[in-house]
Amino acid sequence: MLTRRKLALLTGAAATSALLFAAALPGAALAQQKTVVDFWHGLPQPLGGQLEQIVKDFNDSQQAVQVNASYKGSYPETMQAAIAAFRAGNAPHIVQMFEVGTATMMAAGPAVKPVYQLMQETGASFDANAYIPAVKGYYSSKDGKMMALPFNSSTAIMFYNKDAFQKAGLDPAKPPATWPELVDAAKKLKASGSSCPFTTSWPTWVQLEQLGAIHNTPFASQANGYGGLNAELKIDAPLYVKHVQTLIDMQKDGLFKYGGRDNKPDALFPSGECAMIQGSSSLRSRILKEATFAWGAAPLPYWPEFANNDPKNGIIGGAAFWVMTSPKRTPAEYKAVSQFFTYLAKPEVDAKWHMDTGYVPVTLKGIEIAKAQGYYEKNPGADVPAAQLTRTPTTENSMGLRLGNLPEIRNIIQEELEKAFQGQQDAKQALDASIKRGNTVLRNFERANKG
């Protein structure tokens, strides 16, 4: 039987539940009010986890925006997924795009909202000049407007085995600064028993693209593609011919080992097989984990007669964050993206990412913070990439490359270099063939993106 006492107890319980429900409502409403931002990236573990921790730190720092980070596979896979999503009308708010996809994103037109425009429209404070010039230039339009937000950047440097140098009678504190010095060092390393004095990763990026920037020599016409889609390759200049022929001759003499395409040769240095390697500055973290010998880092060498003993800045690799459009995207969503970008642009966030991962700091103040915290004193050589990127003002030949379908062009050049290393052609023939085939790719890209 339902007594008055039981009824009162039930009524009290219901009231308590109602109060608890009511108390939960503001929080639930707050969660619903958060503007959600979808962010697709292409960094595998452990870097992907470190990036997602930065996203979590941002989410925890405020109550208005929820950024959801998703790993979409390799950079090319992430790019294809983003293109497919845009065509379907549901592109992510932000996509991480590798640097060789820059021309493709620039040509994407209404699919992309430039960062400078995003920050202006949302009233966000943004200083493009806070970024390292070589980084800013790579992701800017011809008139200097930032199109994407730089984040994880690297450049190409040289690593060398100090123990092998010591054994060869070379000074471990003085790595070769010029190519003649490098050839001489390679001869001494070979004489001391080294089976691989020198190798390179990323053959096209390091031995041609970086070479052109450092020597202020165009890789392509139209300011390396910044001036228009009608760019043509210019890698038949005397600098490139001499350099590639030097590599061919070094291989014949047992001074250079071609280890394969892209970053496949990376393992040759930390294993101790090769005494010198030129590759991405991000190789540092692997060397730290795997190398069992004393090693050092140095800027890329230069040819004195082509650089006038004044080598320019190197160019960057890595990736940037691009803002994508969608038919249903709201001003509130763009505002949320700008809030996230404002957080990422903080020098302290940049410096922490740099020190945690080995990527180059992309802001000038990020470098200062790392220096002030004693990072470079504790990690000798870690300042080499940033120093190489900032040693001179950028020129139209050292800002970077803005060429359509650059990954395909890189593969073409690598194919022609391989034929040369196999004795099928000399440097001039390899570079002429690369130009002919590469220009066909450029013209196809121009036709597809004109108008």
Side-chain angles (χ1 to χ4, degrees):
M1 181 179 176
L2 191 62
T3 64
R4 287 184 178 180
R5 176 173 171 75
K6 287 180 178 176
L7 183 61
L9 288 170
L10 284 171
T11 304
T16 301
S17 297
L19 284 169
L20 289 171
F21 180 70
L25 272 177
L30 187 64
Q32 290 173 348
Q33 287 167 7
K34 274 196 172 187
T35 304
V36 174
V37 170
D38 291 320
F39 168 38
W40 291 3
H41 71 85
L43 286 179
Q45 297 295 343
L47 291 168
Q50 290 169 298
L51 174 58
E52 288 168 12
Q53 182 59 50
I54 290 176
V55 172
K56 183 179 184 301
D57 291 344
F58 167 74
N59 288 337
D60 293 344
S61 73
Q62 44 74 51
Q63 295 296 319
V65 181
Q66 172 70 34
V67 178
N68 294 330
S70 303
Y71 173 61
K72 291 293 178 178
S74 67
Y75 284 144
E77 289 167 342
T78 301
M79 179 170 152
Q80 291 306 317
I83 291 169
F86 173 77
R87 288 173 179 161
N90 56 0
H93 298 82
I94 306 166
V95 64
Q96 182 187 37
M97 188 65 60
F98 57 163
E99 92 284 5
V100 291
T102 301
T104 300
M105 296 302 282
M106 290 276 193
V112 168
K113 182 179 281 289
V115 164
Y116 80 89
Q117 186 181 331
L118 170 83
M119 301 311 243
Q120 284 177 0
E121 290 178 359
T122 58
S125 175
F126 182 70
D127 180 13
N129 292 322
Y131 289 86
I132 291 173
V135 172
K136 175 192 171 188
Y138 204 103
Y139 295 113
S140 292
S141 58
K142 191 182 179 184
D143 56 0
K145 293 178 178 175
M146 288 273 273
M147 302 296 287
L149 187 82
F151 187 69
N152 56 308
S153 290
S154 58
T155 192
I157 63 171
M158 182 167 70
F159 296 98
Y160 65 102
N161 184 327
K162 289 187 173 183
D163 291 349
F165 267 50
Q166 189 90 46
K167 183 181 175 185
L170 295 162
D171 187 345
K174 289 186 179 179
T178 67
W179 275 96
E181 289 175 7
L182 184 141
V183 173
D184 184 59
K187 289 176 180 175
K188 290 178 180 175
L189 286 161
K190 182 186 177 185
S192 69
S194 174
S195 62
C196 172
F198 168 60
T199 191
T200 186
S201 284
W202 301 103
T204 305
W205 182 51
V206 178
Q207 301 304 328
L208 292 172
E209 295 170 34
Q210 295 284 354
L211 183 82
I214 288 170
H215 294 83
N216 199 22
T217 300
F219 182 89
S221 64
Q222 292 292 340
N224 284 341
Y226 277 71
L229 296 176
N230 58 335
E232 296 183 342
L233 297 181
K234 306 281 282 182
I235 53 174
D236 56 351
L239 166 70
Y240 297 107
V241 176
K242 175 168 185 174
H243 185 70
V244 171
Q245 192 60 51
T246 297
L247 294 176
I248 294 169
D249 294 342
M250 287 181 73
Q251 185 192 239
K252 285 179 185 172
D253 295 338
L255 306 178
F256 167 69
K257 177 174 182 175
Y258 177 74
R261 300 182 184 184
D262 300 336
N263 65 345
K264 186 181 176 184
D266 278 359
L268 296 174
F269 182 75
S271 69
E273 181 177 344
C274 294
M276 295 182 287
I277 188 171
Q278 292 171 9
S280 172
S281 55
S282 63
L283 179 57
R284 178 184 181 87
S285 57
R286 179 172 182 176
I287 298 170
L288 279 168
K289 290 176 187 172
E290 299 178 13
T292 58
F293 50 84
W295 56 274
L300 293 177
Y302 61 91
W303 289 99
E305 65 269 40
F306 290 106
N308 295 317
N309 288 313
D310 180 29
K312 305 302 179 188
N313 64 282
I315 54 178
I316 63 166
F321 298 157
W322 292 79
V323 183
M324 300 200 71
T325 62
S326 178
K328 297 177 183 177
R329 197 131 296 159
T330 65
E333 290 173 67
Y334 286 123
K335 176 77 173 176
V337 172
S338 75
Q339 287 176 258
F340 180 46
F341 277 11
T342 298
Y343 178 85
L344 294 175
K346 289 181 178 180
E348 53 268 32
V349 174
D350 175 38
K352 186 176 188 303
W353 171 256
H354 158 55
M355 291 185 284
D356 286 350
T357 65
Y359 276 107
V360 176
V362 293
T363 64
L364 295 166
K365 285 187 178 176
I367 299 173
E368 292 175 14
I369 290 172
K371 194 180 295 182
Q373 293 184 10
Y375 177 70
Y376 301 128
E377 286 181 13
K378 297 170 194 167
N379 299 274
D383 59 340
V384 169
Q388 183 176 269
L389 282 172
T390 57
R391 66 187 173 192
T392 61
T394 56
T395 72
E396 70 173 25
N397 297 318
S398 69
M399 273 203 306
L401 305 179
R402 189 64 50 76
L403 301 174
N405 293 331
L406 184 54
E408 186 178 348
I409 293 171
R410 281 183 174 175
N411 281 334
I412 286 170
I413 294 172
Q414 287 176 146
E415 285 176 9
E416 297 300 337
L417 288 177
E418 285 166 355
K419 290 178 186 175
F421 291 137
Q422 291 162 6
Q424 298 176 28
Q425 56 189 358
D426 62 19
K428 184 73 165 59
Q429 291 169 326
L431 293 170
D432 285 345
S434 296
I435 289 174
K436 184 177 180 181
R437 296 175 61 196
N439 283 343
T440 299
V441 172
L442 290 173
R443 297 292 70 76
N444 290 340
F445 185 82
E446 181 184 14
R447 280 192 293 272
N449 292 281
K450 240 181 176 180

